[in-house]
Amino acid sequence: DSGVTQTPKHLITATGQRVTLRCSPRSGDLSVYWYQQSLDQGLQFLIQYYNGEERAKGNILERFSAQQFPDLHSELNLSSLELGDSALYFCASSVGELGPSTDTQYFGPGTRLTVL
Amino acid sequence: AQKITQTQPGMFVQEKEAVTLDCTYDTSDPSYGLFWYKQPSSGEMIFLIYQGSYDQQNATEGRYSLNFQKARKSANLVISASQLGDSAMYFCAMREATQGGSEKLVFGKGTKLTVNP
């Protein structure tokens, strides 16, 4: 158990809908990262938050957004869903000191999203 | 350009034998970190081992060791005394700097390891 929790574990929805994925980082971790794992794209970085502020953006679509709340949990919002958004979405957390570090990212169990 | 290359889509090993999973990387940053993660069929990503670019010795964690050859830009994972529970996908990842001084992980495509009894 990494200490990172994600809910829900599975999500099935229809095209055009909106969903929210939730992540709670490990105790003491300030950084939260979101990754998408799909068969064709592999594991890709989406976005990172550090202590409530957005720090880095990767290959995140405009239809997707995220935020980190004062209690450090994070939510990833996916809207106008398409079939191609079906994937495993991971949240990871780390202590998150800015700059080069030996920080290790610990991953949650993932949310498997299926868009029908 | 692909920054992490795992050339073995699949590997097979007999139980109790050792196996090496290959990983090569590409970076011009003198300070970087390399990670290996295990993903069983259940889907979770499990951190296995970390190697920093300035670490003088190869990292080890129990049955896992990292064969780090900096000049060749390779960071191969060695699993000793394979167990049936080692059957999984294994991902090599590199920490890469982002704009704003933060970091992200860049992953290879993974190697599927099957341990045979």
Side-chain angles (χ1 to χ4, degrees):
Chain A
D1 186 351
S2 67
V4 180
T5 61
Q6 287 187 251
T7 56
K9 193 167 177 60
H10 300 278
L11 200 48
I12 302 174
T13 188
T15 55
Q17 295 298 304
R18 172 189 170 95
V19 297
T20 298
L21 313 184
R22 182 187 169 104
C23 167
S24 292
R26 295 187 319 154
S27 177
D29 285 358
L30 298 178
S31 264
V32 168
Y33 306 77
W34 287 96
Y35 292 85
Q36 179 194 58
Q37 185 179 31
S38 61
L39 283 175
D40 53 344
Q41 297 290 329
L43 266 157
Q44 292 211 314
F45 168 72
L46 295 178
I47 197 165
Q48 182 217 352
Y49 280 81
Y50 174 78
N51 204 19
E53 293 187 7
E54 181 184 305
R55 284 298 185 192
K57 261 187 174 179
N59 300 321
I60 188 166
L61 300 171
E62 285 192 9
R63 300 183 285 110
F64 297 180
S65 65
Q67 54 184 329
Q68 187 179 27
F69 295 87
D71 66 352
L72 300 177
H73 91 271
S74 177
E75 293 181 357
L76 179 67
N77 301 297
L78 316 176
S79 62
S80 302
L81 284 167
E82 302 174 359
L83 296 178
D85 297 329
S86 295
L88 188 53
Y89 291 84
F90 285 108
C91 165
S93 77
S94 72
V95 172
E97 296 295 329
L98 295 181
S101 69
T102 60
D103 232 6
T104 294
Q105 292 183 27
Y106 292 92
F107 282 69
T111 293
R112 187 169 295 279
L113 174 66
T114 302
V115 182
L116 301 176
Chain B
Q2 193 170 4
K3 298 191 176 182
I4 295 287
T5 303
Q6 294 181 254
T7 57
Q8 308 152 313
M11 287 284 285
F12 293 87
V13 65
Q14 287 298 122
E15 196 177 5
K16 299 181 185 176
E17 292 186 352
V19 63
T20 298
L21 306 183
D22 294 342
C23 173
T24 57
Y25 59 92
D26 183 26
T27 182
S28 56
D29 191 339
S31 176
Y32 53 90
L34 296 157
F35 301 79
W36 278 91
Y37 287 86
K38 171 185 178 182
Q39 186 176 37
S41 57
S42 51
E44 70 268 32
M45 291 286 287
I46 302 167
F47 165 70
L48 295 178
I49 197 166
Y50 165 81
Q51 180 83 44
S53 58
Y54 293 123
D55 293 344
Q56 295 296 316
Q57 295 192 329
N58 288 342
T60 59
E61 288 286 350
R63 294 186 300 111
Y64 304 109
S65 61
L66 206 151
N67 184 1
F68 182 47
Q69 298 188 45
K70 198 169 180 177
R72 297 178 62 181
K73 292 190 174 179
S74 75
N76 299 337
L77 177 70
V78 180
I79 306 175
S80 63
S82 296
Q83 301 172 356
L84 295 178
D86 294 334
S87 293
M89 282 290 289
Y90 288 81
F91 291 94
C92 180
M94 180 172 64
R95 187 175 52 239
E96 181 177 83
T98 63
Q99 290 183 342
S102 189
E103 299 169 339
K104 65 179 182 182
L105 289 179
V106 176
F107 286 86
K109 294 188 181 300
T111 296
K112 184 175 182 179
L113 176 67
T114 302
V115 180
N116 294 316

